[in-house]
Amino acid sequence: EHTFTERLGREFGVPASNFALPGYGTVQSLQMLKRNLGLKPKVVIYGFIPDHPRRNLTPCVLNNAPFCRAVSFVDFNEHKEPYIHLPRFELFDPKLFNKFEDEVLYSGGVGFKDILWRIRTDLYRFKEWKDIKYPDDPVSRKISTAYLINEMSKVAKTIDAKLIIVYLPLFGKGYAQPPPEELLASLSSDILFVDMYPKVVEYYKKENSPALTIPGDYAHPGELGHALISHELEKAIRRENLLKESISAKY
Protein backbone atom coordinates (compact mmCIF):
# COMPACT_ATOMS: atom_id res chain seq x y z
CA GLU A 1 0.00 0.00 0.00
CA HIS A 2 3.02 2.30 0.23
CA THR A 3 4.14 1.97 -3.40
CA PHE A 4 3.75 5.03 -5.60
CA THR A 5 1.27 3.18 -7.83
CA GLU A 6 -1.07 2.50 -4.91
CA ARG A 7 -0.65 6.04 -3.59
CA LEU A 8 -1.56 7.55 -6.97
CA GLY A 9 -4.58 5.29 -7.30
CA ARG A 10 -5.89 6.44 -3.92
CA GLU A 11 -5.11 10.09 -4.62
CA PHE A 12 -6.98 10.19 -7.93
CA GLY A 13 -9.63 7.66 -7.01
CA VAL A 14 -8.84 5.39 -9.96
CA PRO A 15 -7.78 1.73 -10.34
CA ALA A 16 -4.01 1.28 -10.43
CA SER A 17 -2.09 -1.84 -11.47
CA ASN A 18 1.58 -2.53 -10.82
CA PHE A 19 3.28 -5.00 -13.18
CA ALA A 20 6.87 -4.49 -12.02
CA LEU A 21 8.92 -7.62 -11.28
CA PRO A 22 12.43 -7.99 -9.79
CA GLY A 23 15.30 -8.06 -12.23
CA TYR A 24 13.29 -7.02 -15.28
CA GLY A 25 14.11 -4.14 -17.64
CA THR A 26 12.58 -2.19 -20.51
CA VAL A 27 12.08 -5.31 -22.65
CA GLN A 28 9.83 -6.93 -20.08
CA SER A 29 8.08 -3.62 -19.31
CA LEU A 30 7.18 -3.34 -22.99
CA GLN A 31 5.95 -6.93 -23.04
CA MET A 32 3.87 -6.36 -19.89
CA LEU A 33 2.30 -3.28 -21.47
CA LYS A 34 1.35 -5.24 -24.60
CA ARG A 35 -0.16 -8.07 -22.54
CA ASN A 36 -2.33 -5.74 -20.47
CA LEU A 37 -3.69 -3.37 -23.11
CA GLY A 38 -7.17 -4.70 -22.32
CA LEU A 39 -7.12 -2.65 -19.12
CA LYS A 40 -7.14 0.47 -21.33
CA PRO A 41 -5.19 2.73 -18.96
CA LYS A 42 -5.26 6.50 -19.41
CA VAL A 43 -1.75 6.80 -18.00
CA VAL A 44 1.15 4.36 -18.38
CA ILE A 45 4.07 4.90 -15.98
CA TYR A 46 7.40 3.24 -16.68
CA GLY A 47 10.01 3.41 -13.92
CA PHE A 48 13.47 3.56 -15.52
CA ILE A 49 16.45 2.66 -13.32
CA PRO A 50 20.19 3.04 -14.09
CA ASP A 51 20.70 -0.68 -14.75
CA HIS A 52 18.00 -1.00 -17.42
CA PRO A 53 20.27 -0.26 -20.44
CA ARG A 54 22.43 -3.24 -19.44
CA ARG A 55 19.51 -5.51 -18.53
CA ASN A 56 17.93 -4.93 -21.92
CA LEU A 57 20.91 -6.59 -23.64
CA THR A 58 21.52 -9.59 -21.39
CA PRO A 59 19.77 -12.94 -21.92
CA CYS A 60 19.84 -13.60 -18.16
CA VAL A 61 18.03 -11.94 -15.27
CA LEU A 62 19.79 -11.51 -11.95
CA ASN A 63 17.90 -13.51 -9.32
CA ASN A 64 18.20 -15.22 -5.93
CA ALA A 65 19.72 -18.31 -7.50
CA PRO A 66 23.24 -18.29 -8.98
CA PHE A 67 21.91 -19.54 -12.30
CA CYS A 68 20.71 -17.80 -15.41
CA ARG A 69 16.99 -17.13 -15.62
CA ALA A 70 16.40 -16.79 -19.34
CA VAL A 71 14.41 -13.78 -20.59
CA SER A 72 13.78 -11.96 -23.86
CA PHE A 73 16.46 -9.41 -24.72
CA VAL A 74 17.48 -6.96 -27.44
CA ASP A 75 19.65 -8.45 -30.14
CA PHE A 76 20.85 -7.11 -33.50
CA ASN A 77 20.35 -8.59 -36.97
CA GLU A 78 22.90 -8.72 -39.78
CA HIS A 79 22.11 -5.08 -40.59
CA LYS A 80 22.75 -4.13 -36.95
CA GLU A 81 19.06 -3.33 -36.46
CA PRO A 82 17.63 -4.04 -33.00
CA TYR A 83 14.89 -6.58 -32.35
CA ILE A 84 13.57 -8.54 -29.37
CA HIS A 85 15.17 -11.97 -29.23
CA LEU A 86 13.27 -14.89 -27.73
CA PRO A 87 14.65 -16.28 -24.43
CA ARG A 88 17.69 -18.50 -24.79
CA PHE A 89 16.29 -21.43 -22.85
CA GLU A 90 19.45 -23.47 -23.39
CA LEU A 91 21.00 -21.22 -20.72
CA PHE A 92 18.37 -22.24 -18.15
CA ASP A 93 18.37 -25.53 -16.21
CA PRO A 94 14.99 -25.83 -14.45
CA LYS A 95 15.97 -28.97 -12.51
CA LEU A 96 19.07 -27.30 -11.07
CA PHE A 97 17.11 -24.12 -10.38
CA ASN A 98 14.34 -26.00 -8.53
CA LYS A 99 16.89 -28.04 -6.58
CA PHE A 100 18.57 -24.84 -5.42
CA GLU A 101 15.24 -23.37 -4.31
CA ASP A 102 14.23 -26.52 -2.42
CA GLU A 103 17.55 -27.07 -0.67
CA VAL A 104 18.58 -23.48 0.04
CA LEU A 105 15.91 -20.81 -0.43
CA TYR A 106 13.06 -22.70 1.24
CA SER A 107 14.95 -25.08 3.52
CA GLY A 108 15.12 -22.90 6.65
CA GLY A 109 18.29 -22.56 8.70
CA VAL A 110 21.85 -23.25 7.59
CA GLY A 111 23.24 -26.73 7.09
CA PHE A 112 25.73 -28.88 5.22
CA LYS A 113 23.79 -28.53 1.95
CA ASP A 114 24.22 -24.75 2.12
CA ILE A 115 27.99 -25.19 2.23
CA LEU A 116 27.89 -27.52 -0.76
CA TRP A 117 25.74 -25.04 -2.66
CA ARG A 118 28.18 -22.26 -1.85
CA ILE A 119 30.93 -24.28 -3.55
CA ARG A 120 28.64 -25.15 -6.48
CA THR A 121 27.66 -21.52 -6.84
CA ASP A 122 31.25 -20.32 -7.09
CA LEU A 123 32.10 -23.05 -9.61
CA TYR A 124 29.03 -22.25 -11.68
CA ARG A 125 29.79 -18.55 -11.78
CA PHE A 126 33.38 -19.30 -12.80
CA LYS A 127 32.47 -21.85 -15.48
CA GLU A 128 29.15 -20.66 -16.88
CA TRP A 129 28.63 -16.92 -16.48
CA LYS A 130 31.89 -16.02 -18.22
CA ASP A 131 30.61 -17.82 -21.33
CA ILE A 132 27.34 -15.86 -21.51
CA LYS A 133 28.33 -13.04 -23.82
CA TYR A 134 26.25 -9.99 -24.73
CA PRO A 135 27.04 -6.49 -26.04
CA ASP A 136 27.38 -3.97 -23.24
CA ASP A 137 28.97 -1.05 -25.07
CA PRO A 138 27.65 2.55 -25.21
CA VAL A 139 26.41 2.27 -28.81
CA SER A 140 24.44 -0.95 -28.17
CA ARG A 141 22.96 0.53 -25.01
CA LYS A 142 21.90 3.71 -26.79
CA ILE A 143 20.36 1.97 -29.81
CA SER A 144 18.51 -0.65 -27.75
CA THR A 145 17.16 1.89 -25.24
CA ALA A 146 15.89 4.18 -28.01
CA TYR A 147 14.30 1.24 -29.84
CA LEU A 148 12.44 -0.02 -26.75
CA ILE A 149 11.21 3.37 -25.56
CA ASN A 150 10.00 4.23 -29.06
CA GLU A 151 8.10 0.92 -29.16
CA MET A 152 6.60 1.61 -25.74
CA SER A 153 5.47 5.04 -26.88
CA LYS A 154 3.85 3.60 -30.02
CA VAL A 155 2.00 0.96 -28.02
CA ALA A 156 0.69 3.53 -25.53
CA LYS A 157 -0.62 5.63 -28.43
CA THR A 158 -2.68 2.71 -29.75
CA ILE A 159 -4.88 2.92 -26.65
CA ASP A 160 -4.72 6.72 -26.42
CA ALA A 161 -2.72 6.56 -23.18
CA LYS A 162 -0.11 9.03 -21.99
CA LEU A 163 3.31 7.49 -21.40
CA ILE A 164 5.18 8.81 -18.38
CA ILE A 165 8.78 7.77 -17.83
CA VAL A 166 9.95 8.39 -14.29
CA TYR A 167 13.70 8.11 -13.73
CA LEU A 168 14.44 6.35 -10.45
CA PRO A 169 18.08 6.74 -9.32
CA LEU A 170 19.54 4.86 -6.38
CA PHE A 171 17.69 6.30 -3.39
CA GLY A 172 20.42 5.99 -0.75
CA LYS A 173 22.12 9.13 0.48
CA GLY A 174 25.13 9.88 -1.73
CA TYR A 175 24.29 7.13 -4.24
CA ALA A 176 21.98 8.98 -6.66
CA GLN A 177 23.28 9.53 -10.18
CA PRO A 178 21.73 11.69 -12.96
CA PRO A 179 19.78 10.03 -15.77
CA PRO A 180 21.99 8.11 -18.21
CA GLU A 181 22.52 9.57 -21.67
CA GLU A 182 20.86 6.50 -23.21
CA LEU A 183 17.57 7.52 -21.61
CA LEU A 184 17.77 11.24 -22.27
CA ALA A 185 18.58 10.65 -25.94
CA SER A 186 15.50 8.41 -26.28
CA LEU A 187 12.88 10.86 -25.03
CA SER A 188 10.42 12.36 -27.52
CA SER A 189 7.93 15.20 -27.19
CA ASP A 190 4.98 12.85 -26.67
CA ILE A 191 6.57 11.32 -23.55
CA LEU A 192 6.18 13.02 -20.17
CA PHE A 193 9.51 12.74 -18.32
CA VAL A 194 9.76 12.98 -14.53
CA ASP A 195 13.31 13.03 -13.17
CA MET A 196 13.64 12.00 -9.51
CA TYR A 197 17.40 12.60 -9.38
CA PRO A 198 17.28 16.31 -8.41
CA LYS A 199 14.47 15.58 -5.92
CA VAL A 200 16.51 12.92 -4.14
CA VAL A 201 19.58 15.18 -4.01
CA GLU A 202 17.49 18.08 -2.72
CA TYR A 203 15.85 15.89 -0.08
CA TYR A 204 19.15 14.82 1.46
CA LYS A 205 20.40 18.41 1.71
CA LYS A 206 18.24 18.78 4.79
CA GLU A 207 20.04 17.82 7.99
CA ASN A 208 19.18 14.46 9.55
CA SER A 209 16.81 13.53 6.73
CA PRO A 210 15.47 9.99 7.26
CA ALA A 211 16.55 7.48 4.63
CA LEU A 212 14.36 7.22 1.55
CA THR A 213 15.29 3.56 1.13
CA ILE A 214 14.12 0.25 2.52
CA PRO A 215 15.91 -0.25 5.90
CA GLY A 216 19.42 -1.57 5.30
CA ASP A 217 19.22 -0.92 1.55
CA TYR A 218 21.19 1.66 -0.45
CA ALA A 219 19.11 1.59 -3.64
CA HIS A 220 15.44 0.65 -3.46
CA PRO A 221 12.93 3.27 -2.28
CA GLY A 222 11.08 2.54 0.94
CA GLU A 223 7.91 4.14 2.22
CA LEU A 224 9.38 7.66 2.21
CA GLY A 225 10.94 7.16 -1.20
CA HIS A 226 7.66 6.02 -2.72
CA ALA A 227 5.88 8.98 -1.12
CA LEU A 228 8.38 11.32 -2.82
CA ILE A 229 7.93 9.60 -6.20
CA SER A 230 4.15 9.71 -5.84
CA HIS A 231 4.23 13.41 -4.98
CA GLU A 232 6.22 14.31 -8.11
CA LEU A 233 4.09 12.14 -10.39
CA GLU A 234 0.90 13.56 -8.92
CA LYS A 235 2.08 17.09 -9.70
CA ALA A 236 2.94 16.12 -13.28
CA ILE A 237 -0.40 14.37 -13.84
CA ARG A 238 -2.36 17.34 -12.48
CA ARG A 239 -0.27 19.83 -14.44
CA GLU A 240 -0.97 17.96 -17.69
CA ASN A 241 -4.59 17.28 -16.69
CA LEU A 242 -4.18 13.63 -17.68
CA LEU A 243 -6.97 12.29 -15.49
CA LYS A 244 -9.43 15.17 -15.78
CA GLU A 245 -12.53 12.96 -15.75
CA SER A 246 -11.46 11.15 -12.60
CA ILE A 247 -10.34 14.33 -10.85
CA SER A 248 -13.57 16.19 -11.61
CA ALA A 249 -15.58 13.21 -10.36
CA LYS A 250 -13.57 13.11 -7.13
CA TYR A 251 -14.08 16.77 -6.34
Side-chain angles (χ1 to χ4, degrees):
E1 70 271 20
H2 299 305
T3 59
F4 69 81
T5 47
E6 290 298 310
R7 289 174 180 272
L8 289 171
R10 290 194 298 269
E11 180 62 34
F12 289 109
V14 297
S17 299
N18 182 355
F19 295 104
L21 286 170
Y24 279 178
T26 320
V27 174
Q28 291 74 37
S29 297
L30 173 61
Q31 292 173 328
M32 284 291 191
L33 175 59
K34 289 180 177 180
R35 288 174 192 165
N36 292 282
L37 290 179
L39 294 176
K40 297 182 179 178
K42 296 296 182 187
V43 174
V44 173
I45 300 173
Y46 165 47
F48 188 103
I49 68 172
D51 196 38
H52 279 178
R54 183 197 65 81
R55 292 184 189 183
N56 296 332
L57 294 163
T58 176
C60 299
V61 162
L62 293 175
N63 58 92
N64 289 332
F67 318 113
C68 174
R69 194 172 87 211
V71 292
S72 300
F73 60 98
V74 174
D75 202 354
F76 300 89
N77 62 23
E78 63 273 18
H79 304 295
K80 298 188 177 179
E81 298 166 331
Y83 70 97
I84 295 179
H85 194 294
L86 291 176
R88 292 179 56 191
F89 287 115
E90 76 275 9
L91 300 174
F92 179 68
D93 186 337
K95 289 183 180 179
L96 195 62
F97 200 96
N98 291 338
K99 188 176 176 65
F100 176 82
E101 288 190 327
D102 291 340
E103 295 185 4
V104 177
L105 293 185
Y106 306 131
S107 63
V110 178
F112 181 65
K113 286 184 178 179
D114 295 271
I115 298 173
L116 287 179
W117 270 109
R118 179 70 265 174
I119 297 171
R120 288 177 187 167
T121 296
D122 289 340
L123 286 173
Y124 186 90
R125 289 187 188 279
F126 178 74
K127 289 174 59 180
E128 304 292 336
W129 279 91
K130 68 180 179 62
D131 295 326
I132 300 174
K133 307 293 185 184
Y134 62 93
D136 192 25
D137 58 276
V139 174
S140 297
R141 286 181 173 218
K142 188 173 183 179
I143 293 174
S144 58
T145 301
Y147 163 70
L148 292 168
I149 288 180
N150 181 59
E151 287 296 304
M152 193 176 290
S153 177
K154 288 195 295 187
V155 172
K157 286 178 183 177
T158 64
I159 54 170
D160 197 27
K162 183 68 175 181
L163 175 61
I164 300 177
I165 295 181
V166 54
Y167 172 65
L168 306 174
L170 303 183
F171 273 70
K173 186 174 184 179
Y175 285 95
Q177 296 291 331
E181 178 58 33
E182 296 97 328
L183 171 61
L184 296 178
S186 304
L187 299 174
S188 58
S189 59
D190 56 328
I191 297 173
L192 181 57
F193 180 54
V194 176
D195 184 4
M196 292 303 302
Y197 168 70
K199 301 301 176 183
V200 171
V201 172
E202 181 183 353
Y203 173 86
Y204 281 120
K205 285 181 179 178
K206 302 169 189 172
E207 270 192 64
N208 303 316
S209 298
L212 292 170
T213 53
I214 298 170
D217 193 301
Y218 71 94
H220 298 88
E223 184 176 346
L224 290 177
H226 277 280
L228 186 62
I229 299 167
S230 175
H231 178 67
E232 294 305 314
L233 286 170
E234 180 195 341
K235 288 196 301 184
I237 291 170
R238 291 192 186 280
R239 184 177 66 248
E240 300 294 323
N241 205 19
L242 299 180
L243 293 172
K244 49 184 176 296
E245 293 178 5
S246 302
I247 294 171
S248 62
K250 181 178 179 182
Y251 292 104

